[in-house]
């Protein structure tokens, strides 16, 4: 079958109109009608039905549309990959990296810096690697990998967890211990690990539901409550509330090394943890993916002493 006809059918489904599809594809309406009719003859089933405002796929047409769209996307990827391989421009393809805010603050930029250094000789000939860093929460980042908006996402299994999806490949980087952020003049500042019970009377600030869930779970295990009285729009806002003495906060351990100077941290006894993962598409990965994965593992290990990316623990079991 000619994929041009498949593209016509998908366009008609999307626009709900033969004339609109004809205008978009620069065909005549009669030519579009003939293509759809020919496709129906080949398949032996009706694919379109008319209604008051245009046309829509039949149940068989909707099933075909779903598979046709996947086939067309894969065909486009094949053409792009062949052209990149043929003209040596594979590494000129922009690299889109997504990461949770805490990982975007240090681990990911460090890994990309190592990647650029590794391929410096190549980029001198083919131009510099264009890349972008897009922070977000884990579940939306995962979805953007599936849709092709991101080449790789660095995410965590903190609540609500990560979905299983056969279209993506997941790699475990290691376990991140959560710590408590305090203003520098807090009585606990500079002390050793504390038990959650010792912080039961504190006011807490949170910026997302996943971190709040970890805090509540840890407090419940200790037999106390955690009073989250303040909500921030994002991680910098949460740290600002801590710095100005309004609250304390549960934050990822990977942030410890790069905190603002008016915030310090104290570790928890038996802290809550989260697993850190990379998520990449199984099909059409970026040419730099394999190298970047290695650099991400190294960068994560460097900010988490004692965790080498293969340690077992809660983050390994929580493969959600």
């Amino acid at each position: 079958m000619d994929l041009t006809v498949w593209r016509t059918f998908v366009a008609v489904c999307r626009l709900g109109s033969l004339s609109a599809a004809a205008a978009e594809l620069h065909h005549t309406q009669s030519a579009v009608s003939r293509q759809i009719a020919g496709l129906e003859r080949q398949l032996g089933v009706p694919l379109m039905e008319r209604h008051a405002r245009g046309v829509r796929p039949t149940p068989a047409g909707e099933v075909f549309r779903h598979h046709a769209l996947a086939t067309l996307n894969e065909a486009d990827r094949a053409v792009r990959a062949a052209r990149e391989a043929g003209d040596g421009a594979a590494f000129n393809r922009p690299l889109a990296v997504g990461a949770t805010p805490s990982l975007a603050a240090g681990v990911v930029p460090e890994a990309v810096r190592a990647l650029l250094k590794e391929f410096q000789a190549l980029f001198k000939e083919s131009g510099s690697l264009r890349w972008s860093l897009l922070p977000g929460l884990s579940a939306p980042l995962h979805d953007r990998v599936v849709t092709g908006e991101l080449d790789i996402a660095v995410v965590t299994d903190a609540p609500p967890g990560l979905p299983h999806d056969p279209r993506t490949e997941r790699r475990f980087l290691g376990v991140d211990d959560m710590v408590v952020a305090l203003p520098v003049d807090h009585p606990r500042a500079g002390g050793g690990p504390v038990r959650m019970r010792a912080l039961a009377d504190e006011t807490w600030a949170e910026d997302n539901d996943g971190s709040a869930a970890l805090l509540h779970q840890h407090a419940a295990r200790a037999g106390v409550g955690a009073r989250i009285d303040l909500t921030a729009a994002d991680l910098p806002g949460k740290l600002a509330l801590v710095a100005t003495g309004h609250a304390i906060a549960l934050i990822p351990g990977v942030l410890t090394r790069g905190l603002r100077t008016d915030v310090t941290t104290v570790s928890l006894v038996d802290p809550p943890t989260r697993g850190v993962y990379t998520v990449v598409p199984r099909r059409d990965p970026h040419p730099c993916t394999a190298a970047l994965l290695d650099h991400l593992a190294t960068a994560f290990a460097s900010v988490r002493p004692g965790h080498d990316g293969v340690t077992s623990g809660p983050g390994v079991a929580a493969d959600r």
Side-chain angles (χ1 to χ4, degrees), residues 94-98 108 112 129-134 149-151:
L95 175 68
V97 183
V108 173
V112 174
L129 174 66
R130 292 172 294 155
W131 73 286
S132 56
L133 177 57
L134 303 166
E149 297 176 72
L150 294 175
D151 296 298

Side-chain angles (χ1 to χ4, degrees), residues 1-309:
M1 295 183 184
D2 185 352
L3 290 184
T4 299
V5 179
W6 290 34
R7 294 186 191 279
T8 299
F9 174 75
V10 169
V12 172
C13 291
R14 174 167 50 82
L15 297 170
S17 165
L18 295 174
S19 59
E24 181 178 282
L25 299 171
H26 304 292
H27 295 329
T28 64
Q29 183 172 334
S30 60
V32 170
S33 297
R34 288 195 300 272
Q35 289 182 55
I36 300 300
L39 187 58
E40 290 177 323
R41 286 194 299 272
Q42 287 182 314
L43 297 179
V45 292
L47 299 176
M48 285 288 178
E49 59 185 8
R50 294 188 177 275
H51 62 93
R53 294 184 296 276
V55 295
R56 61 189 169 207
T58 63
E62 180 58 30
V63 171
F64 182 75
R65 183 201 65 81
H66 174 77
H67 291 284
L69 186 58
T71 298
L72 291 171
N73 287 339
E74 188 62 26
D76 290 341
R77 291 190 187 99
V79 171
R80 184 172 67 247
R83 288 173 176 169
E84 288 176 345
D87 62 16
F91 288 100
N92 285 338
R93 175 175 158 187
L95 175 68
V97 183
T100 61
S102 60
L103 295 161
V107 170
V108 173
E110 179 64 30
V112 174
R113 182 176 70 170
L115 175 73
L116 296 177
K117 184 177 181 180
E118 178 180 350
F119 290 106
Q120 185 175 15
L122 175 63
F123 294 148
K124 283 180 178 178
E125 299 178 3
S126 58
S128 60
L129 174 66
R130 292 172 294 155
W131 73 286
S132 56
L133 177 57
L134 303 166
L137 298 181
S138 293
L141 290 175
H142 175 277
D143 292 343
R144 295 178 75 176
V145 171
V146 172
T147 61
E149 297 176 72
L150 294 175
D151 296 298
I152 184 170
V154 191
V155 296
T156 79
D157 62 8
L162 292 172
H164 285 289
D165 194 311
R167 295 168 293 182
T168 62
E169 183 174 348
R170 190 186 306 173
R171 176 175 173 178
F172 176 63
L173 293 182
V175 176
D176 186 24
D177 293 342
M178 304 295 285
V179 298
V180 178
L182 309 168
V184 292
D185 59 353
H186 191 279
R188 297 279 178 181
V194 300
R195 296 187 180 276
M196 187 65 192
R197 184 174 295 277
L199 303 173
D201 295 330
E202 296 281 354
T203 295
W204 295 80
E206 271 305 342
D207 65 323
N208 69 79
D209 292 340
S211 182
L214 283 177
L215 175 59
H216 284 309
Q217 290 169 6
H218 186 69
R221 287 199 302 269
V224 297
R227 196 176 71 247
I228 302 175
D229 289 341
L230 295 174
T231 301
D234 51 23
L235 183 57
K238 181 163 74 170
L239 291 174
L241 291 173
V242 172
T244 50
H246 293 289
I248 64 175
L250 191 69
I251 65 170
V254 294
L255 284 176
T256 301
R257 200 165 67 179
L259 283 176
R260 49 190 289 174
T261 57
D262 49 3
V263 173
T264 188
T265 63
V266 63
S267 59
L268 287 165
V269 175
D270 187 24
T273 64
R274 57 183 194 160
V276 177
Y277 298 83
T278 58
V279 178
V280 298
R282 290 188 181 275
R283 294 182 180 272
D284 191 32
H286 191 281
C288 292
T289 295
L292 181 56
L293 288 175
D294 290 339
H295 289 303
L296 284 166
T298 300
F300 180 76
S302 72
V303 299
R304 299 303 303 140
H307 294 288
D308 58 6

